[in-house]
Amino acid sequence: MTTTINRRQLLALGAGLPMLHSGATHAADFPSKQVKFIVPFPPGGPVDTTARAFAPPLGQLWGQSTFIDNRAGGGGIIGAETASRQPADGYSLFVGAIHHAVNPSLHAKLSYDIQKDFVPVSFAAMFPVFLVVNPNVPAKNVQELIALAKKPGSNLSFASSGNGGGTHLAGELFNMHAGTKLLHIPYKGSAPAMTDVLGGQVAMMFSDAPTAIGHIKSGKVRVLGVASPKRSALMPEVPTIAEQGLSGYEAYSWAALFAPAGTPKDVVAKINADFNQVMRAQEVRQRLYVAGAEADPGTPQEMAQRLQSEIDKWARVVKAAQIRID
């Protein structure tokens, strides 16, 4: 049996093809409009600063405008939930953080799944954590601090920017590795936490670099080590905590780029390639350096492995320290 298609039907069929093509996103013509970066924290913080360092150069490379959409609240939960509901076309990207590797262990229920609702694009930046003590604390290095903490009657405490945050978990991880029982004192932010360390109300803090470096250089606090896996370019003279006898100890905050699950693989690959190009530019690296961050881009596969490792590690810490938010 032969089916005949007349000229009118053929034209109608052809007219539908451009519409079908325009609905898809392909790397060859990406991006063709503005790209949004959802940041789950307020303006001015390290994750927001990281996004504002790479977004404009990406826009210049693409010939399209970019903008930052701050959706703060819930320790990064609100922004993640918002981002997970965006179209999977590459035009709405998510700037996640260490919080999103920790939240699954802290909260009984989440409105999103960082591994199922997103695909990794690239790691973005690492924010070193420095162990600092009030100058009245007699310890001059990590081993002396551990010995001091283990003395009978020791009541050494450490401040953090909040319960369940990166600086809190760095301290609990230290307790696990060192066999100490440093008392956690949570604050509402890094600034008030550091204020009490400066005043001597709290002995020490595992502090983010922007909060700590100025006080280290002024001598208002003594730095004992950096919690990163290797010495920080921000202060290369400071030894890591691991090289001072706590092998395997590693803690730092970070930011990474994600796309909604279902984003075409070729689009993810293009964003990754362009993102890596921008993050390796000297002006971007310098801007992050000034803000206390170290650019550290990579492949989507490397980011996926890193995310899984972080989720597993902090789950163990949360369980051991019996931390719970809800």
Side-chain angles (χ1 to χ4, degrees):
M1 177 175 150
T2 302
T3 301
T4 302
I5 301 178
N6 62 33
R7 184 173 181 273
R8 181 175 295 178
Q9 290 172 318
L10 186 63
L11 288 173
L13 179 62
L17 293 177
M19 291 182 64
L20 181 63
H21 177 269
S22 65
T25 302
H26 298 283
D29 55 14
F30 178 89
S32 58
K33 61 181 180 180
Q34 187 180 64
V35 178
K36 173 174 64 177
F37 294 90
I38 296 175
V39 174
F41 303 104
V47 178
D48 176 77
T49 299
T50 300
R52 293 178 191 276
F54 67 67
L58 267 177
Q60 292 173 8
L61 180 63
W62 288 335
Q64 297 290 341
S65 62
T66 59
F67 80 102
I68 306 299
D69 183 7
N70 294 95
R71 298 294 184 98
I77 292 175
I78 291 176
E81 179 182 318
T82 300
S84 71
R85 296 176 178 175
Q86 300 301 303
D89 56 9
Y91 290 96
S92 295
L93 301 173
F94 178 56
V95 188
I98 183 176
H99 302 67
H100 301 100
V102 179
N103 280 339
S105 299
L106 289 177
H107 300 273
K109 290 185 179 180
L110 286 173
S111 52
Y112 70 94
D113 187 310
I114 192 63
Q115 292 178 295
K116 293 181 180 179
D117 295 333
F118 295 93
V119 291
V121 175
S122 176
F123 198 78
M126 179 175 70
F127 315 118
V129 171
F130 290 92
L131 170 55
V132 298
V133 298
N134 181 280
N136 292 325
V137 175
K140 300 296 191 298
N141 56 52
V142 169
Q143 288 302 323
E144 289 183 5
L145 178 68
I146 294 172
L148 185 64
K150 289 184 176 180
K151 282 186 176 180
S154 173
N155 60 351
L156 288 179
S157 57
F158 72 96
S160 84
S161 59
N163 194 40
T167 56
H168 173 202
L169 294 173
E172 298 295 357
L173 183 65
F174 185 90
N175 276 335
M176 288 175 63
H177 277 260
T180 53
K181 295 182 179 180
L182 301 173
L183 177 65
H184 173 230
I185 309 295
Y187 289 80
K188 293 183 178 180
S190 293
M194 181 59 76
T195 296
D196 274 9
V197 173
L198 295 173
Q201 287 89 351
V202 186
M204 72 193 77
M205 181 177 178
F206 294 82
S207 173
D208 59 87
T211 302
I213 289 178
H215 297 303
I216 293 171
K217 291 181 175 179
S218 69
K220 292 181 179 178
V221 294
R222 181 188 307 118
V223 61
L224 301 188
V226 63
S228 310
K230 61 182 180 180
R231 294 194 183 200
S232 171
L234 301 173
M235 299 192 80
E237 71 280 8
V238 178
T240 67
I241 292 174
E243 69 183 89
Q244 295 183 68
L246 257 61
S247 178
Y249 178 84
E250 183 180 308
Y252 53 87
S253 293
W254 50 264
L257 190 62
F258 296 85
T263 301
K265 290 183 179 180
D266 60 340
V267 173
V268 172
K270 175 173 173 52
I271 297 171
N272 173 267
D274 294 342
F275 180 77
N276 273 257
Q277 179 180 332
V278 163
M279 290 295 284
R280 291 192 174 107
Q282 183 57 38
E283 58 269 26
V284 174
R285 299 179 75 88
Q286 182 61 29
R287 182 170 177 180
L288 290 171
Y289 177 89
V290 171
E294 299 176 25
D296 191 15
T299 67
Q301 294 75 22
E302 289 170 339
M303 180 59 222
Q305 293 171 359
R306 209 162 179 172
L307 178 62
Q308 185 63 63
S309 177
E310 287 283 281
I311 289 173
D312 293 344
K313 177 173 74 175
W314 296 121
R316 292 191 296 270
V317 175
V318 168
K319 182 178 180 179
Q322 298 183 329
I323 305 169
R324 206 70 189 174
I325 300 298
D326 58 11

